[in-house]
């Protein structure tokens, strides 16, 4: 099955390069996902193609106007059903691996990326099914959050990663687990040696070492992040 992801943005160019690189590029080439970026300005019809305006009630900055979003979203909703209409926003639910797993089961996803100070709230009220924050900080727009969501979802689609890259082994995949560190050749570099056990060829010892490292790193990670 091929997933379709639509993204609406006032700065679509900012998405082009990351969507045509590495694993996402490969996923498109393997026909696992189709990603369509819509330029909000194409849906503005006044002579200046204006997509932003001053906020009612005052305050600094400009807001994205509702009409171009409504026109673009309604057109897309007429064409197909979307499992999720995602609105990235600092006010949303914190994004995590569980949500990525859930989104990866969808057939069609629509992401509404806001820019400038935000979007007229009627767009969110009318269309958003999932309001998502990627962390407790403010970005200049929803595009980078959209990229984070797309990247984390696309790599989970069957046939996107090769076996050796399998998402099943990932940290955080089966709960909050941080993996042991990895090393490659040379075994000694810059006066830094890799842990001896990894050179031992002793499978059981290596497995035990990895489990111990993983447990220690997970405990440390929980502590520095005030979890549990
Ligand atoms: N837009 C601006 N900041 C954001 C954040 N932290 N998460 C999602 N969307 C955003």
């Amino acid at each position: 099955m091929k997933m379709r992801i639509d993204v609406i943005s006032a700065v679509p160019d900012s998405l082009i390069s990351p969507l045509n690189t590495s694993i996402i590029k490969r996923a498109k080439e393997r026909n696992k996902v189709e990603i369509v970026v819509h330029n909000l300005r194409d849906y503005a019809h006044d002579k200046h193609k204006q997509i932003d305006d001053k906020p009612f009630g005052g305050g600094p900055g400009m807001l994205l106007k509702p009409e171009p979003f409504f026109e673009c979203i309604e057109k897309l909703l007429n064409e197909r059903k979307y499992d999720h209409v995602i609105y990235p926003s600092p006010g949303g639910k914190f994004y995590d691996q569980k949500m990525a797993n859930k989104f990866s089961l969808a057939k069609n996803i629509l992401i509404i990326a806001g820019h400038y100070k935000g979007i007229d709230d009627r767009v969110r009220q009318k269309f958003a099914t999932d309001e998502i924050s990627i962390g407790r900080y403010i970005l200049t727009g929803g595009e980078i959050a959209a990229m984070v969501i797309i990247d984390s979802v696309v790599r989970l689609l069957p046939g996107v990663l090769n076996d050796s890259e399998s998402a099943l082994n990932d940290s955080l995949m089966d709960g909050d687990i941080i993996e042991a560190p990895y090393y490659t050749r040379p075994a000694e570099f810059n006066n830094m040696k890799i842990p001896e056990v990894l050179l031992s060829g002793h499978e059981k010892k290596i497995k035990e070492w990895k489990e111990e490292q993983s447990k220690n790193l997970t405990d440390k990670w929980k502590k520095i992040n005030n979890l549990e």
Side-chain angles (χ1 to χ4, degrees):
M1 192 179 84
K2 185 165 157 191
M3 177 185 276
R4 176 172 167 137
I5 304 175
D6 290 87
V7 190
I8 308 173
S9 169
V11 284
D13 288 353
S14 67
L15 291 159
I16 303 303
S17 171
L19 290 175
N20 287 304
T21 315
S22 187
I23 307 270
I24 299 183
K25 180 178 171 199
R26 184 206 287 174
K28 289 205 243 173
E29 286 167 357
R30 289 186 180 173
N31 243 342
K32 305 299 179 193
V33 69
E34 179 184 7
I35 305 176
V36 185
V37 178
H38 305 269
N39 187 351
L40 189 66
R41 210 170 284 278
D42 292 343
Y43 297 86
H45 302 298
D46 63 297
K47 67 175 187 292
H48 299 295
K49 291 208 167 273
Q50 189 185 349
I51 52 171
D52 59 348
D53 208 336
K54 290 183 294 217
F56 278 119
M62 297 288 266
L63 287 186
L64 293 169
K65 293 161 61 62
E67 305 95 312
F69 277 112
F70 269 62
E71 187 183 316
C72 181
I73 297 169
E74 276 167 353
K75 177 178 123 13
L76 292 170
L77 290 176
N78 275 331
E79 290 168 0
R80 69 193 62 73
K81 194 179 162 320
Y82 286 90
D83 305 287
H84 301 280
V85 178
I86 300 173
Y87 177 61
S89 138
K93 185 168 155 64
F94 288 133
Y95 192 57
D96 63 13
Q97 188 62 47
K98 273 208 191 83
M99 287 159 134
N101 295 349
K102 186 176 80 180
F103 292 155
S104 75
L105 302 174
K107 169 122 185 63
N108 300 309
I109 291 176
L110 171 58
I111 307 179
I112 305 168
H115 216 78
Y116 308 129
K117 248 320 192 201
I119 302 185
D120 184 292
D121 199 57
R122 287 167 288 191
V123 178
R124 181 191 63 79
Q125 290 170 28
K126 175 87 179 168
F127 300 109
T129 62
D130 299 78
E131 191 175 346
I132 286 178
S133 165
I134 63 160
R136 296 173 81 163
Y137 42 79
I138 307 296
L139 302 165
T140 54
E143 283 75 14
I144 292 174
M147 270 315 308
V148 166
I149 295 165
I150 292 170
D151 189 282
S152 59
V153 168
V154 167
R155 65 189 291 284
L156 296 174
L157 301 177
V160 169
L161 296 186
N162 298 325
D163 280 352
S164 62
E165 306 160 335
S166 169
L168 293 174
N169 302 321
D170 287 348
S171 295
L172 304 180
M173 195 61 202
D174 55 346
D176 293 335
I177 305 287
I178 305 301
E179 285 177 69
Y182 289 97
Y183 302 90
T184 186
R185 282 177 289 189
E188 183 174 347
F189 171 70
N190 234 348
N191 277 329
M192 300 163 84
K193 285 187 181 157
I194 69 163
E196 201 71 43
V197 63
L198 295 177
L199 298 167
S200 70
H202 197 301
E203 258 179 56
K204 184 161 170 282
K205 278 201 181 134
I206 293 175
K207 186 164 172 281
E208 282 166 4
W209 178 83
K210 285 189 176 173
E211 283 167 3
E212 191 196 329
Q213 290 286 314
S214 170
K215 189 186 172 307
N216 291 343
L217 288 176
T218 302
D219 289 347
K220 187 173 143 205
W221 171 76
K222 283 185 178 164
K223 212 162 167 184
I224 60 179
N225 289 298
N226 295 318
L227 299 168
E228 285 168 38

